[in-house]
Amino acid sequence: MPASPAPAQRNPPTTPQRSLLVALLCAAWILPGLFAHDPWKPDEAYTFGVIYDLLRGGSWVVPTLTGEPFLDKPPLFYLTAAAAAKLFSFVLPLHDAARVATGLWMAVTFAFTALAGRELYGTRYGAVSALLLLGCFGFVIRGHQIITDVALLAGFAMAYYGFALALRRPAVGGLWIGMGAGIGFLANGLLAPVVLGLVAPLLPALARDWRNRSYANALAVAAATAAPWLTIWPILLERQAPLLFDAWLWGENLSHYLGQGRGGWTGTFYYLKILPWYAFPVWLLALWALWRARGPGLARPAIVLPLTGFIVTLAALSTSAEARELYALPLLPPLALLAAAAPETLRRSATNAWYWFSAMTFTFFVVVFWFYWSGLELGIPARLHDHLHRIRPGYVPGFRWLAFTAGVAYTLFWLAVLASFRRSPMRPVVVWGAGITTVWALLTILFIGWADNAKSYRSTFVSLQRALPQQYGCIASIELGESQRAMLFYVAGIVTQREEARVPRRECELLLVQGRPQQEIVTGAAWERIWEGGRPGDKDERLRLYRRATKPSS
């Protein structure tokens, strides 16, 4: 006797209702973690340092960090974050206001991933595409940071939507392809236009759907749309500072592929090694989708587009001289699109296993987080309280109504999701996304102050500021990192004269040195140490301030 079909969900939501629910879930995922903490090193701190210089009147053509040219990335994200900081600084600290731009770029990423899913598979698959992207482990932390890569990700999502839409509406599709390539370039450099420029001719070579004049017209529109994004800023930079333009083009872009370094294809193994956790569980669903589509199904646009995007992006990242998990973010949207149809084709046993794994795992973490919150803030149990404050010294515990109320709200939301969804192929997708959202929200809401106490440089640089003599001319520095320079300027208003900078500088009365606890770089009778400090609980980094024992020569 054949198995009976799974019972249908009671009163299934209509498409507008489903879209609204997914949008609310994305908002619930985006908001926690954006606020109530200082920029953390390394990536957030120096990125905010560039934004802070821009807010203080710096040039957007030549971005600077504490007054020195800093051409790590083009200026699009810096400009949007500076605009958000100005707009929201009346209610938020400047760094939290700047982080609003991250939330906006994440909203754009989710929206265009959903639109691409709808275009490739059908109306109801847009929500699934966004939820699968939301559920990737590696996306959670990076999607809430002040980093240029969040705008890069939005550009990629926009371009994938454009490629899909070009099959039906070539002109509009080409517009979004060009916009995506341009935004990706102005956010992060050459990666987006190079990857998308390779994907564009590969699509008609691999699938007949793009092998027509309409698609050629779409690419012409894309080129025209992308041209201003790709040319205006580089032209202005080259005219204003030709040497800096050369340094940016070679040092921050081409040298990663053409210069000396690891290079080769060893990066492939790095990204393939981290993807099992970074893209979990989407990569499993993507493999299942490929298995289901084996044979002629592999030529369908819904398979060709995301698979081509993933492979080309992986190849581009793998040939770079530097590999970091941060750089793997552009691999996630094509994987989510590739996996969008997989949940409906899973066997009932796999669907149930995924649901119960999600329900039990995330419920366990919800209980654990509340238990740890009780130990941290209420002192119950006492041994846990002592342990948490020993590993993060200096944190002031106490019951905080706002954090408690928000944490309870997310917990009730999680319980409501578990209670409301009936058996259906989409149930584990929604429950997984809701679980990731709840656990992330509790982690940031209940423990953000405790974590910020150890990761922030605020207390360190306030202490340094108090140790400064009442009168001094300037402060030199040795080995002071980009993140530390940015936060020193933001917190204490101090800009050091770096010994590493190859420009003539006068001798300073004070010297700030970054090093390790057991390594003191400056020794001898010429300098007298007047302050030493570091972030609470940081055992790897030490900052030392010295005063010259003898007067510097004029």
Side-chain angles (χ1 to χ4, degrees):
M1 183 176 179
S4 59
Q9 181 182 344
R10 299 176 188 175
N11 301 321
T14 63
T15 298
Q17 290 174 329
R18 185 188 301 117
S19 299
L20 178 60
L21 290 173
V22 173
L24 291 174
L25 182 56
C26 290
W29 180 94
I30 289 172
L31 289 175
L34 289 183
F35 311 114
H37 69 90
D38 282 328
W40 293 347
K41 80 165 192 177
D43 302 292
E44 268 205 319
Y46 73 73
T47 303
F48 179 75
V50 178
I51 297 165
Y52 189 57
D53 269 28
L54 193 59
L55 288 168
R56 292 175 60 88
S59 168
W60 67 271
V61 177
V62 183
T64 59
L65 178 66
T66 63
E68 297 181 19
F70 188 78
L71 293 172
D72 182 56
K73 298 293 186 295
L76 178 62
F77 180 79
Y78 304 139
L79 287 169
T80 56
K86 280 193 172 183
L87 189 61
F88 296 101
S89 60
F90 73 99
V91 291
L92 294 169
L94 200 61
H95 52 275
D96 283 347
R99 209 178 277 115
V100 171
T102 297
L104 295 176
W105 284 115
M106 284 295 94
V108 172
T109 301
F110 284 131
F112 278 94
T113 301
L115 289 171
R118 285 166 62 101
E119 200 64 36
L120 290 172
Y121 296 99
T123 303
R124 69 181 185 274
Y125 291 97
V128 180
S129 303
L131 287 177
L132 290 176
L133 179 61
L134 177 150
C136 293
F137 274 150
F139 195 40
V140 178
I141 295 177
R142 293 302 190 179
H144 294 85
Q145 292 184 329
I146 309 174
I147 51 175
T148 62
D149 302 79
V150 294
L152 170 69
L153 208 61
F156 270 111
M158 200 176 288
Y160 287 127
Y161 172 60
F163 282 122
L165 186 63
L167 298 177
R168 187 169 57 88
R169 301 176 64 189
V172 182
L175 176 69
W176 288 119
I177 295 171
M179 287 279 287
I183 287 173
F185 168 75
L186 269 187
N188 205 260
L190 294 179
L191 177 65
V194 167
V195 168
L196 298 174
L198 292 173
V199 169
L202 284 174
L203 292 179
L206 297 172
R208 69 176 70 180
D209 301 82
W210 285 279
R211 206 175 299 152
N212 50 58
R213 183 172 296 179
S214 296
Y215 179 62
N217 294 335
L219 293 185
V221 173
T225 305
W229 296 85
L230 301 177
T231 57
I232 291 177
W233 176 74
I235 289 173
L236 291 175
L237 177 63
E238 198 279 334
R239 288 182 175 178
Q240 184 168 326
L243 295 178
L244 292 178
F245 172 79
D246 293 339
W248 166 77
L249 184 62
W250 175 258
E252 301 298 338
N253 288 276
L254 298 180
S255 68
H256 291 299
Y257 299 94
L258 305 178
Q260 294 181 350
R262 187 197 59 232
W265 289 87
T266 54
T268 307
F269 301 104
Y270 173 82
Y271 292 110
L272 292 179
K273 183 174 66 176
I274 70 169
L275 276 178
W277 69 266
Y278 199 78
F280 185 83
V282 170
W283 70 273
L284 291 171
L285 297 172
L287 289 179
W288 175 248
L290 289 175
W291 173 255
R292 290 274 302 180
R294 64 191 184 279
L298 291 175
R300 290 187 293 115
I303 299 295
V304 172
L305 173 57
L307 183 59
T308 303
F310 174 79
I311 292 174
V312 172
T313 306
L314 179 62
L317 294 175
S318 300
T319 55
S320 174
E322 184 180 2
R324 291 182 62 195
E325 55 83 17
L326 171 63
Y327 303 155
L329 282 177
L331 297 172
L332 298 180
L335 279 179
L337 292 173
L338 186 59
E344 285 196 342
T345 65
L346 292 175
R347 296 190 177 102
R348 183 185 300 179
S349 58
T351 300
N352 290 335
W354 186 10
Y355 166 75
W356 283 109
F357 174 77
S358 303
M360 295 174 65
T361 300
F362 293 124
T363 301
F364 170 78
F365 279 109
V366 167
V367 173
V368 168
F369 286 170
W370 278 111
F371 176 75
Y372 269 72
W373 172 83
S374 174
L376 177 69
E377 306 290 13
L378 306 181
I380 305 171
R383 290 182 63 183
L384 178 60
H385 177 86
D386 294 339
H387 171 71
L388 292 175
H389 287 272
R390 185 168 56 253
I391 61 176
R392 291 289 187 270
Y395 175 70
V396 180
F399 185 87
R400 294 166 176 84
W401 275 106
L402 182 60
F404 175 76
T405 304
V408 168
Y410 271 96
T411 303
L412 294 176
F413 156 76
W414 169 243
L415 297 177
V417 169
L418 291 181
S420 61
F421 274 84
R422 302 296 181 262
R423 182 181 298 175
S424 73
M426 292 299 105
R427 180 173 68 163
V429 179
V430 176
V431 170
W432 180 268
I436 286 283
T437 300
T438 302
V439 167
W440 168 251
L442 289 181
L443 187 64
T444 54
I445 290 170
L446 301 181
F447 302 102
I448 194 70
W450 179 72
D452 190 50
N453 180 69
K455 290 181 172 291
S456 170
Y457 279 98
R458 187 170 298 275
S459 63
T460 304
F461 290 142
V462 167
S463 172
L464 182 150
Q465 195 174 24
R466 291 171 179 166
L468 293 174
Q470 290 187 352
Q471 293 185 350
Y472 64 92
C474 63
I475 303 177
S477 66
I478 296 177
E479 299 294 335
L480 192 62
E482 294 164 348
S483 300
Q484 291 78 5
R485 288 164 51 207
M487 291 299 98
L488 180 61
F489 185 35
Y490 177 53
V491 172
I494 297 173
V495 176
T496 65
Q497 296 192 12
R498 297 192 303 125
E499 295 292 329
E500 298 84 2
R502 297 180 179 179
V503 293
R505 295 186 181 276
R506 62 191 180 95
E507 292 184 321
C508 296
E509 301 93 317
L510 301 176
L511 175 65
L512 181 62
V513 180
Q514 180 179 331
R516 301 181 65 84
Q518 305 302 324
Q519 174 192 17
E520 187 155 9
I521 299 174
V522 175
T523 57
W527 294 96
E528 172 194 5
R529 188 172 64 194
I530 60 174
W531 176 86
E532 181 176 351
R535 295 179 301 170
D538 191 336
K539 299 179 180 179
D540 298 321
E541 181 183 288
R542 207 69 182 161
L543 296 163
R544 298 178 175 94
L545 180 67
Y546 299 87
R547 178 168 50 201
R548 192 180 291 273
T550 57
K551 269 192 159 184
S553 57
S554 56

